[in-house]
Amino acid sequence: SVCSSGVSSPMQPSHINQNIGPDNPNQSSLEFPRPNRESVLRRLSEALMSKSLTKINLSQRNLQPSDARLVKLALLQNSSLSVLKLGYNNLCDEGVVKLASGISSHSKLISLDVGFNSVGNLGCAALSKAISSTVRNGGALHTLYLAGNNITEEGAFNLAQVFKEGNGLRRLHLTENSIGPGGTKVLMDAIAENEVRSNEANEAGLISASTGLTSTQSISGDSIHITTRLAGVEELFLGGTGMGHAGCAAVANLLRKTKSLRVLSLANCCLDDEDAAVLAAAITENCKELPLRRLQLSFNNLTSKGIENLMNAAWGLTSLHELQLDHNRMESRGAQLVSAVLKGVKTLKRLDVGFNSISGTGMKLLMKTVAESASIESLSISGNHIDVMSAKAVSYALAHNKSLKSVFLDHCKIPSQGQRDITAGIVSNSKTSLEILTGFNIGGNAVSLGLPGTLGKWPNEQVLKFVLLMWNQMRREQKKNSHENQLDPLLLLPSGEPIAPGPLDPSTVVSVANRAFESLSPNGDEILGQNTEARCAASFVSPLTEDAVILEAAESDVPPITYEGQAHNSSTDNLRESTGMRNPSIPDSLEFSNSQDTSRVLDEATKKKMIVKWLSQNIHHLNELSQLPFNSSELWRLHQHFFTPTIQMTCRKNNDCDSTVGSDT
């Protein structure tokens, strides 16, 4: 799509119409009804002369090399164009060479995507020269997306020259380009050299806080020469580049020097334990300066030995948010090491340890740590076999964790009883934040636990929305009646009690769920179901969106999750009932009235003293009442007294206080 001073959402598939940007609702936009090559090119040609285009997204439009001429005209005619997305087309070298001549004179372009366009070394060389020319003209391209092309070592040499000359590239995507060990080494050396220059300038105090620009001036006669460059690379994607041991060593050398690298992706690089040791040593050496937030090492050959080195290094990282270790060979020992990092690195939010042959023992270790974590938001353990015992460990984690929003359990072969246990853990957690769970349908299992039958027809996301709704509703009810809590010296009212940590008993869960379901409007299921597909929709725009993550703990430390009287019946009668409290009658020394006299408000200290004094004077009455059978009529009378709009406490024979003590509602 082409936006005239508009903002396109980077997360939306390119075939979806782009709307007006949220930052400026008055900006206009051009929308394309269909992802048709001819129609989008026609609309682009119509918009060329407006000279107000700021973003163009023509990804997945089957563009051909000849179409690059029109895009070049758009660059030349629209000096404010900042984002150009042309991914997943067929521009090839011929088209990119044409495009490069327009890029070279364009100073406002900050993001360029020509990924998956069959671009080879010729096109890469043309782009490299264009980027260098742009920098010399005062431009600052921040993001260059070249993933999925045919760039080899020769193309990497051309890109390295761009960094040697100094530039503003912050994000470089080279995933699935076979640049090899030589290409990786020369490119990493150039980036490291540029990083050193940036660090020296930063130490000299020349970095602009607002722009990140380094400025140096030299005066020769009447001329003043000003050169600018940005700080080092922040995001580096080198997955599937065939870097080998030499390339990995070059990446490690960069890690020792960089103070700006936040994202490093080395997925599918055939890294082994030896490579992991080299990377870990570099991270440890520079851990105080390294701002690494995301480390992606998926699809490699790392065993528990390599994981151990990496996890020891990760302990020193103070800003690590995401760790992707899926499709390796860590097994249970590796999962134990990862769980230790999850416990120690409080910033970790996403963990992926899927497809790692983690057994029951390792799963229990990991889930124990997940249960205690206050930071983890996304966890993937897909592809690891989860038997009934492992399912109980997962259930334990989901019943206690308060921060998890996404859990991925695809291809785990979870038995039906295990699915039911996991569902029980989710619905019994009154503090849950869970929004996404994959791998099996939880609606039917929730119904088997006694929750409303309609949930069996809902998708997982809708069921989880209902679970969040029912616990939020319970908290609102408690808050509404909080003033009664303050005037309940015997703590007799269940609504006044705070929700206990951990899983609640089944009868409470069923009761809360039924009340919440009854409160829904007739179209409540439609409201809960809104946007259920939006989050799961695949994103075809590049750069690729983030994936999920995972962790572990000790088998003996994971208490079993048992529900007394648990059965497959959906009826509440088959679940454990709450134990009734024996409630004593209201003693004569206290009386409650609806009087509006609020002559003196009881402070907390005085109130506590009065309660203790009353308990001391009436302990024998309480002992007598405790021997009597439970009387529901007395409970109802207490309910009537405590739930009146205004409650006041008056002392009949009180030598320590005045006539009437009122409490605000």
Side-chain angles (χ1 to χ4, degrees):
S1 49
V2 181
C3 293
S4 175
S5 300
V7 179
S8 327
S9 169
M11 299 297 291
Q12 279 187 317
S14 58
H15 63 277
I16 298 178
N17 294 337
Q18 307 299 327
N19 298 319
I20 299 174
D23 297 332
N24 190 349
N26 295 321
Q27 293 173 338
S28 61
S29 66
L30 298 179
E31 300 181 352
F32 299 134
R34 292 176 295 129
N36 178 277
R37 171 175 171 260
E38 289 73 20
S39 64
V40 297
L41 291 176
R42 182 171 62 252
R43 295 295 297 275
L44 177 59
S45 62
E46 293 170 355
L48 277 180
M49 303 310 295
S50 68
K51 298 185 178 181
S52 60
L53 300 180
T54 60
K55 299 186 179 182
I56 296 177
N57 184 354
L58 297 176
S59 301
Q60 291 184 308
R61 304 304 172 110
N62 194 30
L63 300 185
Q64 302 301 313
S66 58
D67 301 326
R69 175 179 168 276
L70 187 60
V71 180
K72 173 186 172 182
L73 286 176
L75 283 165
L76 297 175
Q77 294 292 334
N78 295 270
S79 59
S80 298
L81 189 65
S82 61
V83 176
L84 181 58
K85 298 180 71 64
L86 303 171
Y88 297 92
N89 286 300
N90 193 31
L91 293 176
C92 303
D93 283 341
E94 180 184 349
V96 171
V97 169
K98 292 179 182 177
L99 196 63
S101 59
I103 294 172
S104 61
S105 58
H106 202 289
S107 61
K108 296 295 181 66
L109 192 65
I110 62 173
S111 181
L112 175 63
D113 175 9
V114 288
F116 296 91
N117 266 285
S118 301
V119 179
N121 294 328
L122 183 61
C124 185
L127 276 179
S128 300
K129 291 179 181 178
I131 294 170
S132 297
S133 177
T134 300
V135 173
R136 288 193 293 269
N137 292 330
L141 187 69
H142 292 173
T143 302
L144 179 60
Y145 190 85
L146 293 171
N149 283 304
N150 302 322
I151 300 170
T152 64
E153 183 175 311
E154 180 184 344
F157 273 79
N158 290 316
L159 285 173
Q161 190 61 35
V162 175
F163 287 97
K164 289 179 180 179
E165 294 177 3
N167 68 91
L169 272 179
R170 297 180 182 179
R171 302 169 189 88
L172 178 61
H173 295 256
L174 280 174
T175 303
E176 297 303 323
N177 283 283
S178 302
I179 60 176
T184 303
K185 185 179 187 308
V186 70
L187 186 58
M188 294 302 102
D189 289 347
I191 294 175
E193 180 183 335
N194 186 52
E195 181 76 27
V196 170
R197 290 197 303 266
S198 298
N199 292 342
E200 290 174 351
N202 191 25
E203 292 172 0
L206 299 175
I207 296 286
S208 166
S210 60
T211 64
L213 290 173
T214 302
S215 301
T216 58
Q217 298 185 9
S218 61
I219 302 177
S220 176
D222 296 331
S223 63
I224 299 178
H225 303 284
I226 301 177
T227 60
T228 62
R229 68 179 183 274
L230 287 167
V233 173
E234 296 179 359
E235 299 182 11
L236 195 54
F237 294 82
L238 299 171
T241 53
M243 63 175 59
H245 295 306
C248 182
V251 173
N253 182 54
L254 173 62
L255 286 171
R256 290 187 180 91
K257 299 177 180 180
T258 181
K259 295 182 180 181
S260 59
L261 190 63
R262 299 176 182 274
V263 178
L264 178 61
S265 176
L266 302 178
N268 192 27
C269 286
C270 298
L271 302 181
D272 57 19
D273 293 340
E274 180 182 343
D275 297 317
V278 172
L279 292 172
I283 292 172
T284 302
E285 185 177 333
N286 191 32
C287 63
K288 293 183 179 179
E289 301 286 347
L290 186 61
L292 196 63
R293 294 172 64 89
R294 293 169 56 193
L295 180 59
Q296 301 175 350
L297 296 170
S298 310
F299 292 93
N300 284 298
N301 299 315
L302 305 179
T303 69
S304 59
K305 182 179 180 181
I307 295 296
E308 181 174 8
N309 288 322
L310 288 169
M311 295 306 99
N312 288 335
W315 272 95
L317 296 174
T318 58
S319 58
L320 187 63
H321 277 56
E322 177 177 332
L323 184 59
Q324 285 188 242
L325 297 169
D326 57 291
H327 293 87
N328 279 286
R329 295 186 289 130
M330 69 168 64
E331 299 180 338
S332 292
R333 171 60 180 164
Q336 180 181 359
L337 296 165
V338 171
S339 66
V341 169
L342 179 59
K343 183 181 296 185
V345 181
K346 303 301 183 182
T347 58
L348 193 62
K349 294 184 177 181
R350 297 185 181 93
L351 178 65
D352 188 346
V353 290
F355 297 91
N356 266 288
S357 302
I358 300 174
S359 68
T361 302
M363 191 65 68
K364 291 177 182 178
L365 292 169
L366 183 60
M367 291 302 106
K368 177 64 165 56
T369 307
V370 169
E372 300 169 352
S373 173
S375 63
I376 189 72
E377 295 181 359
S378 179
L379 175 66
S380 176
I381 50 178
S382 297
N384 295 296
H385 179 61
I386 296 180
D387 57 17
V388 173
M389 293 305 298
S390 296
K392 288 185 179 295
V394 175
S395 176
Y396 173 79
L398 296 181
H400 289 80
N401 183 276
K402 303 176 185 179
S403 60
L404 268 173
K405 296 182 179 180
S406 305
V407 176
F408 300 89
L409 302 173
D410 302 291
H411 306 291
C412 289
K413 300 179 181 178
I414 308 173
S416 57
Q417 181 57 45
Q419 295 178 12
R420 193 169 183 271
D421 289 339
I422 293 173
T423 304
I426 295 171
V427 300
S428 65
N429 184 356
S430 62
K431 302 295 181 64
T432 184
S433 299
L434 198 61
E435 299 174 356
I436 299 174
L437 184 135
T438 65
F440 65 92
N441 182 275
I442 62 177
N445 290 287
V447 173
S448 74
L449 294 169
L451 275 67
T454 305
L455 272 64
K457 304 176 183 178
W458 290 355
N460 284 1
E461 190 169 1
Q462 193 171 348
V463 174
L464 293 173
K465 283 184 179 180
F466 174 77
V467 172
L468 294 174
L469 180 145
M470 77 183 201
W471 293 124
N472 286 335
Q473 180 173 299
M474 181 175 181
R475 281 186 284 271
R476 285 195 299 269
E477 291 174 355
Q478 289 190 325
K479 185 177 181 181
K480 181 179 178 181
N481 298 318
S482 60
H483 62 282
E484 281 88 355
N485 296 346
Q486 298 176 1
L487 298 174
D488 182 16
L490 297 179
L491 300 177
L492 300 176
L493 300 179
S495 62
E497 297 176 356
I499 301 177
L504 298 182
D505 63 274
S507 59
T508 300
V509 174
V510 172
S511 176
V512 172
N514 287 333
R515 290 203 308 271
F517 187 79
E518 290 171 1
S519 70
L520 291 177
S521 59
N523 61 341
D525 56 337
E526 297 178 6
I527 296 174
L528 288 172
Q530 286 179 352
N531 299 324
T532 55
E533 298 179 0
R535 191 179 287 105
C536 299
S539 176
F540 298 102
V541 266
S542 48
L544 298 176
T545 56
E546 299 175 356
D547 289 327
V549 221
I550 341 185
L551 298 161
E552 281 198 21
E555 180 174 5
S556 58
D557 294 335
V558 182
I561 301 178
T562 58
Y563 296 113
E564 191 175 329
Q566 189 177 46
H568 288 271
N569 279 314
S570 61
S571 172
T572 314
D573 297 336
N574 293 330
L575 297 172
R576 181 173 56 87
E577 297 295 334
S578 302
T579 303
M581 295 176 59
R582 295 188 178 93
N583 302 324
S585 302
I586 300 175
D588 293 337
S589 56
L590 291 178
E591 72 175 14
F592 299 89
S593 69
N594 287 330
S595 171
Q596 297 301 314
D597 180 13
T598 56
S599 57
R600 196 175 86 186
V601 177
L602 207 64
D603 61 80
E604 289 297 324
T606 304
K607 187 187 299 184
K608 288 181 180 179
K609 289 181 180 179
M610 292 181 62
I611 292 173
V612 171
K613 183 177 180 181
W614 180 88
L615 287 173
S616 300
Q617 294 173 347
N618 295 278
I619 188 65
H620 60 285
H621 295 301
L622 296 176
N623 287 331
E624 292 175 359
L625 289 172
S626 67
Q627 306 302 317
L628 298 176
F630 175 76
N631 190 333
S632 60
S633 63
E634 290 190 359
L635 182 61
W636 174 244
R637 192 158 66 92
L638 282 173
H639 182 276
Q640 287 179 309
H641 279 286
F642 279 99
F643 280 84
T644 49
T646 304
I647 300 175
Q648 291 191 321
M649 187 159 54
T650 305
C651 302
R652 284 182 174 175
K653 300 176 182 179
N654 189 357
N655 298 325
D656 300 323
C657 63
D658 296 336
S659 58
T660 303
V661 180
S663 101
D664 296 333
T665 56

